[in-house]
């Protein structure tokens, strides 16, 4: 499932080790994937739980996992995209693969907690939250084997 989806960007992030606690970089206005600042919020995912499927009509997401490990799965249903009908999965681990995942508007995504405990996800969005701006589907609507390792 290593296929690239048009507009999805996976960026390695820097961890600066300092005495007393590390600094985990997230996003700055000069980074690829930055469009604008609308809001930042955290969501959590418990161990082995799944949250799927969602897409935003206008929002670009910049997802960072500062605590835990999460598998993100994207599915492209955009008719005029070169990656239409393709899946992409990316696992982000705060300790081994600290990175940022940028998901453009209109790409379906879901995620599963892979840690033994709760994982935290930070979204730095380019617009303010608007419940009319996103869509959800039942987990079985888009075919994907969430149990596959």
């Amino acid at each position: 499932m290593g296929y690239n989806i048009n507009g999805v960007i996976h960026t390695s992030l820097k961890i600066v080790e300092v005495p007393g606690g590390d600094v985990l970089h997230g996003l700055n206005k000069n980074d690829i994937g930055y469009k604008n600042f609308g809001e930042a919020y955290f969501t959590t995912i418990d161990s082995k739980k799944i949250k799927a499927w969602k897409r935003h009509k206008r929002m670009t997401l910049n997802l960072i996992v500062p605590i835990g490990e999460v598998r993100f799965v994207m599915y492209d249903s955009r008719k005029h995209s070169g990656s239409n009908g393709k899946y992409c999965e990316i696992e982000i681990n705060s300790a081994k693969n600290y990175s940022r995942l940028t998901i453009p508007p209109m790409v379906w995504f879901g995620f599963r907690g892979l840690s033994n405990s709760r994982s935290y996800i930070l979204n730095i969005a380019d617009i303010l939250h608007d419940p009319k701006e996103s869509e959800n589907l039942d987990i079985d609507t888009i075919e994907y084997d969430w149990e596959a390792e």
Side-chain angles (χ1 to χ4, degrees):
M1 286 269 177
Y3 192 87
N4 291 330
I5 290 183
N6 292 350
V8 171
I9 304 166
H10 187 212
T11 307
S12 294
L13 296 176
K14 187 187 290 185
I15 298 176
V16 180
E17 295 180 12
V18 295
D22 298 339
V23 175
L24 286 75
H25 283 240
L27 180 69
N28 74 55
K29 67 180 185 177
N30 296 320
D31 286 343
I32 294 172
Y34 177 83
K35 294 180 86 171
N36 194 18
F37 178 76
E39 68 177 353
Y41 62 87
F42 288 91
T43 189
T44 62
I45 185 77
D46 291 331
S47 178
K48 311 302 182 224
K49 297 298 182 186
I50 300 164
K51 293 183 180 180
W53 294 98
K54 183 172 192 162
R55 75 175 172 186
H56 289 274
K57 298 174 190 173
R58 298 184 336 266
M59 182 185 286
T60 297
L61 295 83
N62 283 284
L63 304 173
I64 301 167
V65 179
I67 300 170
E69 183 173 12
V70 178
R71 175 186 302 140
F72 294 94
V73 179
M74 283 87 31
Y75 175 72
D76 191 355
S77 67
R78 299 171 294 175
K79 292 191 186 324
H80 301 292
S81 170
S83 54
N84 174 264
K86 304 293 185 189
Y87 292 86
C88 177
E89 63 182 42
I90 295 173
E91 293 182 6
I92 299 179
N93 180 311
S94 58
K96 298 181 217 166
N97 179 21
Y98 183 63
S99 54
R100 181 181 61 250
L101 178 60
T102 304
I103 302 177
M106 300 305 291
V107 172
W108 291 102
F109 70 97
F111 49 93
R112 180 177 187 201
L114 299 178
S115 295
N116 291 327
S117 59
R118 178 175 283 175
S119 295
Y120 287 77
I121 302 165
L122 168 63
N123 180 21
I124 304 171
D126 65 333
I127 63 173
L128 288 172
H129 173 75
D130 174 359
K132 297 178 200 142
E133 181 274 331
S134 64
E135 300 174 286
N136 292 285
L137 292 174
D138 289 333
I139 193 167
D140 296 329
T141 306
I142 297 174
E143 189 175 324
Y144 177 78
D145 183 3
W146 286 99
E147 301 304 319
E149 295 297 322

